[in-house]
Amino acid sequence: MIASLSGTVAALGPTSAVVETGGVGLLALCSPGTLAHLRIGQRATLFTSLVVREDSLTLFGFASADEREFFELLLTATGVGPKLAQAALAVLSPDELRHAIATENLVVLCKVPGIGRKGAQRIVLELKDKINAVGLVAEPGAPVLPGQALWRAQVTQGLVGLGWALKDAEAACDDVEPMLEDQPDLGVPALMRAALQTLARR
């Protein structure tokens, strides 16, 4: 797995960039947004995902690790290939995609070329419980809430990442929230352990 690529930008095309590192030029397929930040002759770092097929090895490049991780998550949905996943990230940011999936907003998902209503419904059905929980409550671009809202988002994200359903993760947060009344400075790791214990008892 090639997780990232750092070096000098040797060439730019309409859909790709060549980054030279260690005397080797590696071509990565990138979205227009990612390419817009690259300049020939300047150093750059791309977060990458290597897609392996029987007849090809294709490297996809992204401006952030969040974009790469969402790209790989989209690939787990039925009927979503690399080109469609990249198109989705070219049209919508990861936060916008998270919010659209979490709120089952098919209209937003259908803005992506190649995604129809049935495809959008399938993406929601298959990914709703897998997406990163941070920032799902607020609209994209809204400020992150401090205090309890932040710890809940972090704990929920961790539990979802471990495979728990979003509704179960939220219920566990409800169970451990009273702990903060007696210990207001309790950190996220401690709350996470308490939430896991709560889930294990169910």
Side-chain angles (χ1 to χ4, degrees):
M1 175 69 180
I2 302 176
S4 63
L5 176 62
S6 295
T8 302
V9 178
L12 292 173
T15 60
S16 64
V18 176
V19 178
E20 188 173 309
T21 178
V24 177
L26 296 176
L27 184 144
L29 298 182
C30 306
S31 69
T34 298
L35 292 171
H37 296 289
L38 303 179
R39 299 290 183 271
I40 294 176
Q42 294 185 1
R43 288 191 60 81
T45 295
L46 293 175
F47 295 88
T48 57
S49 178
L50 181 63
V51 176
V52 180
R53 295 286 185 265
E54 290 184 3
D55 57 349
S56 65
L57 296 174
T58 307
L59 196 63
F60 290 83
F62 305 92
S64 69
D66 194 24
E67 287 185 1
R68 178 192 63 200
E69 289 165 7
F70 214 96
F71 171 82
E72 293 175 346
L73 177 62
L74 286 170
L75 292 181
T76 67
T78 303
V80 178
K83 289 184 178 179
L84 186 56
Q86 192 176 47
L89 287 164
V91 175
L92 302 169
S93 70
D95 282 342
E96 289 171 331
L97 283 166
R98 284 191 191 96
H99 193 266
I101 293 170
T103 59
E104 301 183 17
N105 193 331
L106 305 184
V107 174
V108 171
L109 293 175
C110 287
K111 291 180 180 180
V112 179
I115 295 182
R117 187 172 180 83
K118 289 185 178 179
Q121 290 174 329
R122 187 166 56 245
I123 289 172
V124 167
L125 179 65
E126 296 183 13
L127 301 185
K128 188 173 181 179
D129 288 338
K130 298 180 182 179
I131 54 177
N132 186 328
V134 172
L136 291 185
V137 177
E139 290 286 342
V144 176
L145 298 176
Q148 291 185 354
L150 182 57
W151 77 257
R152 285 184 70 96
Q154 292 174 328
V155 172
T156 302
Q157 173 191 358
L159 294 173
V160 171
L162 291 172
W164 297 96
L166 181 58
K167 63 179 181 180
D168 292 332
E170 291 174 341
C173 286
D174 291 337
D175 291 339
V176 303
E177 187 168 5
M179 295 173 61
L180 292 170
E181 295 179 6
D182 298 326
Q183 305 175 71
D185 295 329
L186 207 58
V188 169
L191 291 165
M192 181 73 173
R193 286 193 295 270
L196 285 169
Q197 291 170 358
T198 297
L199 289 168
R201 290 194 294 266
R202 293 186 177 182

PDB file of all heavy atoms in Angstrom, residues 2-32:
ATOM      1  N   ILE A   2       0.698   2.103  -0.979  1.00  0.00           N
ATOM      2  CA  ILE A   2       1.412   3.385  -1.023  1.00  0.00           C
ATOM      3  C   ILE A   2       0.485   4.420  -0.415  1.00  0.00           C
ATOM      4  O   ILE A   2      -0.499   4.832  -1.025  1.00  0.00           O
ATOM      5  CB  ILE A   2       1.782   3.757  -2.475  1.00  0.00           C
ATOM      6  CG1 ILE A   2       2.646   2.662  -3.100  1.00  0.00           C
ATOM      7  CG2 ILE A   2       2.523   5.088  -2.507  1.00  0.00           C
ATOM      8  CD1 ILE A   2       2.972   2.887  -4.561  1.00  0.00           C
ATOM      9  N   ALA A   3       0.789   4.861   0.802  1.00  0.00           N
ATOM     10  CA  ALA A   3      -0.111   5.747   1.535  1.00  0.00           C
ATOM     11  C   ALA A   3       0.085   7.211   1.196  1.00  0.00           C
ATOM     12  O   ALA A   3      -0.847   8.007   1.310  1.00  0.00           O
ATOM     13  CB  ALA A   3       0.058   5.537   3.035  1.00  0.00           C
ATOM     14  N   SER A   4       1.296   7.583   0.796  1.00  0.00           N
ATOM     15  CA  SER A   4       1.544   8.984   0.453  1.00  0.00           C
ATOM     16  C   SER A   4       2.709   9.067  -0.515  1.00  0.00           C
ATOM     17  O   SER A   4       3.488   8.121  -0.658  1.00  0.00           O
ATOM     18  CB  SER A   4       1.832   9.827   1.702  1.00  0.00           C
ATOM     19  OG  SER A   4       3.017   9.388   2.341  1.00  0.00           O
ATOM     20  N   LEU A   5       2.817  10.209  -1.152  1.00  0.00           N
ATOM     21  CA  LEU A   5       3.840  10.430  -2.167  1.00  0.00           C
ATOM     22  C   LEU A   5       4.349  11.858  -2.041  1.00  0.00           C
ATOM     23  O   LEU A   5       3.573  12.808  -2.112  1.00  0.00           O
ATOM     24  CB  LEU A   5       3.219  10.203  -3.557  1.00  0.00           C
ATOM     25  CG  LEU A   5       4.075  10.467  -4.791  1.00  0.00           C
ATOM     26  CD1 LEU A   5       5.274   9.537  -4.811  1.00  0.00           C
ATOM     27  CD2 LEU A   5       3.231  10.263  -6.046  1.00  0.00           C
ATOM     28  N   SER A   6       5.650  12.002  -1.802  1.00  0.00           N
ATOM     29  CA  SER A   6       6.251  13.331  -1.669  1.00  0.00           C
ATOM     30  C   SER A   6       7.408  13.475  -2.648  1.00  0.00           C
ATOM     31  O   SER A   6       8.205  12.545  -2.826  1.00  0.00           O
ATOM     32  CB  SER A   6       6.763  13.559  -0.243  1.00  0.00           C
ATOM     33  OG  SER A   6       5.699  13.580   0.682  1.00  0.00           O
ATOM     34  N   GLY A   7       7.474  14.624  -3.291  1.00  0.00           N
ATOM     35  CA  GLY A   7       8.560  14.862  -4.234  1.00  0.00           C
ATOM     36  C   GLY A   7       8.283  16.110  -5.049  1.00  0.00           C
ATOM     37  O   GLY A   7       7.450  16.943  -4.687  1.00  0.00           O
ATOM     38  N   THR A   8       8.990  16.213  -6.164  1.00  0.00           N
ATOM     39  CA  THR A   8       8.843  17.373  -7.037  1.00  0.00           C
ATOM     40  C   THR A   8       7.825  17.081  -8.129  1.00  0.00           C
ATOM     41  O   THR A   8       7.864  16.022  -8.757  1.00  0.00           O
ATOM     42  CB  THR A   8      10.196  17.732  -7.681  1.00  0.00           C
ATOM     43  OG1 THR A   8      11.150  17.992  -6.653  1.00  0.00           O
ATOM     44  CG2 THR A   8      10.058  18.967  -8.553  1.00  0.00           C
ATOM     45  N   VAL A   9       6.934  18.009  -8.357  1.00  0.00           N
ATOM     46  CA  VAL A   9       5.930  17.835  -9.411  1.00  0.00           C
ATOM     47  C   VAL A   9       6.629  17.973 -10.762  1.00  0.00           C
ATOM     48  O   VAL A   9       7.150  19.040 -11.105  1.00  0.00           O
ATOM     49  CB  VAL A   9       4.804  18.877  -9.287  1.00  0.00           C
ATOM     50  CG1 VAL A   9       3.796  18.702 -10.422  1.00  0.00           C
ATOM     51  CG2 VAL A   9       4.118  18.755  -7.928  1.00  0.00           C
ATOM     52  N   ALA A  10       6.655  16.890 -11.525  1.00  0.00           N
ATOM     53  CA  ALA A  10       7.353  16.885 -12.809  1.00  0.00           C
ATOM     54  C   ALA A  10       6.432  17.218 -13.973  1.00  0.00           C
ATOM     55  O   ALA A  10       6.882  17.761 -14.991  1.00  0.00           O
ATOM     56  CB  ALA A  10       8.007  15.524 -13.039  1.00  0.00           C
ATOM     57  N   ALA A  11       5.169  16.898 -13.850  1.00  0.00           N
ATOM     58  CA  ALA A  11       4.217  17.161 -14.943  1.00  0.00           C
ATOM     59  C   ALA A  11       2.802  17.201 -14.397  1.00  0.00           C
ATOM     60  O   ALA A  11       2.491  16.551 -13.395  1.00  0.00           O
ATOM     61  CB  ALA A  11       4.339  16.080 -16.017  1.00  0.00           C
ATOM     62  N   LEU A  12       1.972  17.967 -15.093  1.00  0.00           N
ATOM     63  CA  LEU A  12       0.556  18.058 -14.737  1.00  0.00           C
ATOM     64  C   LEU A  12      -0.299  17.844 -15.978  1.00  0.00           C
ATOM     65  O   LEU A  12       0.013  18.367 -17.048  1.00  0.00           O
ATOM     66  CB  LEU A  12       0.228  19.423 -14.131  1.00  0.00           C
ATOM     67  CG  LEU A  12       0.823  19.749 -12.752  1.00  0.00           C
ATOM     68  CD1 LEU A  12       0.538  21.202 -12.387  1.00  0.00           C
ATOM     69  CD2 LEU A  12       0.243  18.817 -11.691  1.00  0.00           C
ATOM     70  N   GLY A  13      -1.340  17.055 -15.841  1.00  0.00           N
ATOM     71  CA  GLY A  13      -2.274  16.850 -16.939  1.00  0.00           C
ATOM     72  C   GLY A  13      -3.670  17.217 -16.497  1.00  0.00           C
ATOM     73  O   GLY A  13      -3.880  17.623 -15.356  1.00  0.00           O
ATOM     74  N   PRO A  14      -4.654  17.064 -17.354  1.00  0.00           N
ATOM     75  CA  PRO A  14      -6.035  17.418 -17.005  1.00  0.00           C
ATOM     76  C   PRO A  14      -6.578  16.600 -15.832  1.00  0.00           C
ATOM     77  O   PRO A  14      -7.410  17.086 -15.068  1.00  0.00           O
ATOM     78  CB  PRO A  14      -6.807  17.116 -18.293  1.00  0.00           C
ATOM     79  CG  PRO A  14      -5.781  17.142 -19.376  1.00  0.00           C
ATOM     80  CD  PRO A  14      -4.528  16.633 -18.753  1.00  0.00           C
ATOM     81  N   THR A  15      -6.103  15.370 -15.698  1.00  0.00           N
ATOM     82  CA  THR A  15      -6.633  14.493 -14.646  1.00  0.00           C
ATOM     83  C   THR A  15      -5.544  13.825 -13.811  1.00  0.00           C
ATOM     84  O   THR A  15      -5.838  12.946 -13.002  1.00  0.00           O
ATOM     85  CB  THR A  15      -7.508  13.377 -15.254  1.00  0.00           C
ATOM     86  OG1 THR A  15      -6.709  12.595 -16.163  1.00  0.00           O
ATOM     87  CG2 THR A  15      -8.693  13.964 -16.001  1.00  0.00           C
ATOM     88  N   SER A  16      -4.278  14.217 -14.027  1.00  0.00           N
ATOM     89  CA  SER A  16      -3.205  13.513 -13.335  1.00  0.00           C
ATOM     90  C   SER A  16      -2.006  14.411 -13.052  1.00  0.00           C
ATOM     91  O   SER A  16      -1.878  15.506 -13.612  1.00  0.00           O
ATOM     92  CB  SER A  16      -2.745  12.308 -14.168  1.00  0.00           C
ATOM     93  OG  SER A  16      -2.178  12.760 -15.387  1.00  0.00           O
ATOM     94  N   ALA A  17      -1.143  13.923 -12.175  1.00  0.00           N
ATOM     95  CA  ALA A  17       0.113  14.605 -11.865  1.00  0.00           C
ATOM     96  C   ALA A  17       1.213  13.560 -11.778  1.00  0.00           C
ATOM     97  O   ALA A  17       0.973  12.425 -11.355  1.00  0.00           O
ATOM     98  CB  ALA A  17       0.000  15.353 -10.539  1.00  0.00           C
ATOM     99  N   VAL A  18       2.402  13.951 -12.211  1.00  0.00           N
ATOM    100  CA  VAL A  18       3.573  13.086 -12.075  1.00  0.00           C
ATOM    101  C   VAL A  18       4.477  13.698 -11.014  1.00  0.00           C
ATOM    102  O   VAL A  18       4.902  14.848 -11.142  1.00  0.00           O
ATOM    103  CB  VAL A  18       4.337  12.949 -13.406  1.00  0.00           C
ATOM    104  CG1 VAL A  18       5.614  12.127 -13.194  1.00  0.00           C
ATOM    105  CG2 VAL A  18       3.449  12.303 -14.462  1.00  0.00           C
ATOM    106  N   VAL A  19       4.727  12.934  -9.962  1.00  0.00           N
ATOM    107  CA  VAL A  19       5.584  13.397  -8.874  1.00  0.00           C
ATOM    108  C   VAL A  19       6.863  12.559  -8.889  1.00  0.00           C
ATOM    109  O   VAL A  19       6.808  11.332  -8.847  1.00  0.00           O
ATOM    110  CB  VAL A  19       4.872  13.276  -7.512  1.00  0.00           C
ATOM    111  CG1 VAL A  19       5.814  13.711  -6.383  1.00  0.00           C
ATOM    112  CG2 VAL A  19       3.599  14.110  -7.497  1.00  0.00           C
ATOM    113  N   GLU A  20       7.998  13.245  -8.982  1.00  0.00           N
ATOM    114  CA  GLU A  20       9.288  12.553  -9.041  1.00  0.00           C
ATOM    115  C   GLU A  20       9.873  12.439  -7.644  1.00  0.00           C
ATOM    116  O   GLU A  20      10.044  13.429  -6.928  1.00  0.00           O
ATOM    117  CB  GLU A  20      10.249  13.312  -9.943  1.00  0.00           C
ATOM    118  CG  GLU A  20      11.548  12.562 -10.208  1.00  0.00           C
ATOM    119  CD  GLU A  20      12.405  13.249 -11.238  1.00  0.00           C
ATOM    120  OE1 GLU A  20      11.880  13.568 -12.320  1.00  0.00           O
ATOM    121  OE2 GLU A  20      13.592  13.474 -10.942  1.00  0.00           O
ATOM    122  N   THR A  21      10.158  11.224  -7.247  1.00  0.00           N
ATOM    123  CA  THR A  21      10.763  10.974  -5.946  1.00  0.00           C
ATOM    124  C   THR A  21      11.776   9.852  -6.071  1.00  0.00           C
ATOM    125  O   THR A  21      11.479   8.796  -6.636  1.00  0.00           O
ATOM    126  CB  THR A  21       9.691  10.616  -4.889  1.00  0.00           C
ATOM    127  OG1 THR A  21      10.327  10.325  -3.650  1.00  0.00           O
ATOM    128  CG2 THR A  21       8.840   9.443  -5.308  1.00  0.00           C
ATOM    129  N   GLY A  22      12.977  10.086  -5.598  1.00  0.00           N
ATOM    130  CA  GLY A  22      14.028   9.083  -5.680  1.00  0.00           C
ATOM    131  C   GLY A  22      14.397   8.709  -7.099  1.00  0.00           C
ATOM    132  O   GLY A  22      14.783   7.568  -7.370  1.00  0.00           O
ATOM    133  N   GLY A  23      14.263   9.658  -8.023  1.00  0.00           N
ATOM    134  CA  GLY A  23      14.602   9.384  -9.420  1.00  0.00           C
ATOM    135  C   GLY A  23      13.516   8.671 -10.196  1.00  0.00           C
ATOM    136  O   GLY A  23      13.703   8.344 -11.370  1.00  0.00           O
ATOM    137  N   VAL A  24      12.367   8.443  -9.569  1.00  0.00           N
ATOM    138  CA  VAL A  24      11.259   7.754 -10.227  1.00  0.00           C
ATOM    139  C   VAL A  24      10.063   8.690 -10.289  1.00  0.00           C
ATOM    140  O   VAL A  24       9.690   9.320  -9.295  1.00  0.00           O
ATOM    141  CB  VAL A  24      10.867   6.470  -9.462  1.00  0.00           C
ATOM    142  CG1 VAL A  24       9.673   5.797 -10.118  1.00  0.00           C
ATOM    143  CG2 VAL A  24      12.045   5.512  -9.394  1.00  0.00           C
ATOM    144  N   GLY A  25       9.468   8.789 -11.465  1.00  0.00           N
ATOM    145  CA  GLY A  25       8.268   9.614 -11.620  1.00  0.00           C
ATOM    146  C   GLY A  25       7.025   8.761 -11.491  1.00  0.00           C
ATOM    147  O   GLY A  25       6.821   7.833 -12.281  1.00  0.00           O
ATOM    148  N   LEU A  26       6.206   9.044 -10.499  1.00  0.00           N
ATOM    149  CA  LEU A  26       4.981   8.281 -10.278  1.00  0.00           C
ATOM    150  C   LEU A  26       3.767   9.103 -10.698  1.00  0.00           C
ATOM    151  O   LEU A  26       3.626  10.263 -10.310  1.00  0.00           O
ATOM    152  CB  LEU A  26       4.853   7.903  -8.798  1.00  0.00           C
ATOM    153  CG  LEU A  26       5.940   6.966  -8.259  1.00  0.00           C
ATOM    154  CD1 LEU A  26       5.749   6.739  -6.762  1.00  0.00           C
ATOM    155  CD2 LEU A  26       5.909   5.629  -8.995  1.00  0.00           C
ATOM    156  N   LEU A  27       2.903   8.500 -11.500  1.00  0.00           N
ATOM    157  CA  LEU A  27       1.714   9.177 -11.978  1.00  0.00           C
ATOM    158  C   LEU A  27       0.545   8.868 -11.055  1.00  0.00           C
ATOM    159  O   LEU A  27       0.278   7.706 -10.745  1.00  0.00           O
ATOM    160  CB  LEU A  27       1.385   8.743 -13.406  1.00  0.00           C
ATOM    161  CG  LEU A  27       0.198   9.468 -14.073  1.00  0.00           C
ATOM    162  CD1 LEU A  27       0.478   9.662 -15.558  1.00  0.00           C
ATOM    163  CD2 LEU A  27      -1.096   8.670 -13.890  1.00  0.00           C
ATOM    164  N   ALA A  28      -0.142   9.925 -10.628  1.00  0.00           N
ATOM    165  CA  ALA A  28      -1.312   9.760  -9.771  1.00  0.00           C
ATOM    166  C   ALA A  28      -2.505  10.471 -10.403  1.00  0.00           C
ATOM    167  O   ALA A  28      -2.384  11.617 -10.849  1.00  0.00           O
ATOM    168  CB  ALA A  28      -1.040  10.328  -8.378  1.00  0.00           C
ATOM    169  N   LEU A  29      -3.631   9.803 -10.452  1.00  0.00           N
ATOM    170  CA  LEU A  29      -4.858  10.415 -10.940  1.00  0.00           C
ATOM    171  C   LEU A  29      -5.432  11.282  -9.832  1.00  0.00           C
ATOM    172  O   LEU A  29      -5.572  10.834  -8.689  1.00  0.00           O
ATOM    173  CB  LEU A  29      -5.867   9.342 -11.351  1.00  0.00           C
ATOM    174  CG  LEU A  29      -5.433   8.409 -12.496  1.00  0.00           C
ATOM    175  CD1 LEU A  29      -6.559   7.436 -12.823  1.00  0.00           C
ATOM    176  CD2 LEU A  29      -5.058   9.214 -13.730  1.00  0.00           C
ATOM    177  N   CYS A  30      -5.752  12.535 -10.153  1.00  0.00           N
ATOM    178  CA  CYS A  30      -6.186  13.496  -9.138  1.00  0.00           C
ATOM    179  C   CYS A  30      -7.434  14.248  -9.596  1.00  0.00           C
ATOM    180  O   CYS A  30      -7.696  14.390 -10.795  1.00  0.00           O
ATOM    181  CB  CYS A  30      -5.078  14.517  -8.850  1.00  0.00           C
ATOM    182  SG  CYS A  30      -3.472  13.813  -8.397  1.00  0.00           S
ATOM    183  N   SER A  31      -8.178  14.758  -8.628  1.00  0.00           N
ATOM    184  CA  SER A  31      -9.344  15.578  -8.930  1.00  0.00           C
ATOM    185  C   SER A  31      -8.876  16.979  -9.324  1.00  0.00           C
ATOM    186  O   SER A  31      -7.751  17.376  -9.011  1.00  0.00           O
ATOM    187  CB  SER A  31     -10.253  15.678  -7.708  1.00  0.00           C
ATOM    188  OG  SER A  31      -9.618  16.447  -6.692  1.00  0.00           O
ATOM    189  N   PRO A  32      -9.726  17.750 -10.004  1.00  0.00           N
ATOM    190  CA  PRO A  32      -9.345  19.121 -10.372  1.00  0.00           C
ATOM    191  C   PRO A  32      -8.961  19.970  -9.164  1.00  0.00           C
ATOM    192  O   PRO A  32      -8.049  20.801  -9.246  1.00  0.00           O
ATOM    193  CB  PRO A  32     -10.621  19.655 -11.041  1.00  0.00           C
ATOM    194  CG  PRO A  32     -11.290  18.439 -11.584  1.00  0.00           C
ATOM    195  CD  PRO A  32     -11.023  17.364 -10.572  1.00  0.00           C
TER     196      PRO A  32
END
